[in-house]
Amino acid sequence: DFAMAWIDHGPEAKDASYEYVSVLEADSAEMDAIAAKPFYSVKRKDDRTHAVLVPGEKLWSLVNFQPLEKPLGPFISISQPSLVLMQQLSGSVIRISVTDPSLKLDKRSTAEPVDVLLEIKGRFKLAGQPIEGVTVEIAGNNTVLTVRCAEGEATAVTLKSN
């Protein structure tokens, strides 16, 4: 079974907004409970960034339509449009997934890879083996994570406090 939904913005919607959440296998009572007390918090929704925090999961989800220039939660900046997930796994370990969803395809070839630079609060280093296309540098009290993105594929990186 599946359902289809659409949002009718009207012919000239201005200064309007909406949000929705998809919950697998939820019944109407569960959805009513979520509507009354959401398990997430929208931290930013503008023409540059949509950002959600799920406190119970210690999870940030960002859709950046443009570079992130104003700090947001643990993020100081993000250099490129991108999709970013960040979860705190323990007090000293975080997992970050980064992708550039824009395939930039043309009729003859795939696009060149793009480096996405994320500056995050705290000093971190790679946990485990080096990952091709990923670098981690300390910048004062922050960390600059560079992830080479290509063809819409996500790269997941685990970092631990330095």
Side-chain angles (χ1 to χ4, degrees):
D1 292 338
F2 68 93
M4 179 172 55
W6 68 91
I7 298 170
D8 184 355
H9 295 282
E12 294 185 39
K14 292 185 182 174
D15 298 324
S17 67
Y18 63 92
E19 63 187 66
Y20 63 91
V21 60
S22 298
V23 181
L24 297 175
E25 300 180 7
D27 60 24
S28 61
E30 289 174 290
M31 292 309 295
D32 288 344
I34 291 169
K37 187 175 181 190
F39 60 87
Y40 65 94
S41 173
V42 175
K43 297 300 184 181
R44 187 175 294 166
K45 61 178 178 182
D46 57 29
D47 62 343
R48 299 182 69 84
T49 300
H50 291 179
V52 173
L53 172 64
V54 182
E57 300 293 326
K58 299 179 182 176
L59 176 69
W60 279 88
S61 174
L62 280 73
V63 177
N64 297 298
F65 303 105
Q66 299 178 34
L68 178 72
E69 297 171 341
K70 290 191 255 179
L72 176 64
F75 302 97
I76 304 298
S77 65
I78 301 175
S79 67
Q80 300 286 331
S82 55
L83 303 178
V84 178
L85 292 172
M86 177 183 196
Q87 185 171 30
Q88 186 174 351
L89 300 178
S90 70
S92 62
V93 179
I94 59 175
R95 183 113 170 120
I96 302 176
S97 174
V98 181
T99 189
D100 172 7
S102 175
L103 298 178
K104 301 178 183 89
L105 300 175
D106 65 27
K107 293 179 181 178
R108 295 178 302 277
S109 66
T110 59
E112 293 294 317
V114 174
D115 286 344
V116 178
L117 283 70
L118 298 90
E119 184 173 0
I120 56 175
K121 293 177 183 175
R123 297 168 60 96
F124 293 93
K125 61 184 175 183
L126 275 175
Q129 298 298 316
I131 301 170
E132 185 176 347
V134 173
T135 61
V136 179
E137 298 175 352
I138 301 299
N141 289 322
N142 299 323
T143 301
V144 177
L145 172 66
T146 303
V147 179
R148 175 144 299 161
C149 295
E151 298 178 354
E153 291 186 21
T155 298
V157 179
T158 302
L159 303 174
K160 62 182 177 180
S161 292
N162 195 0

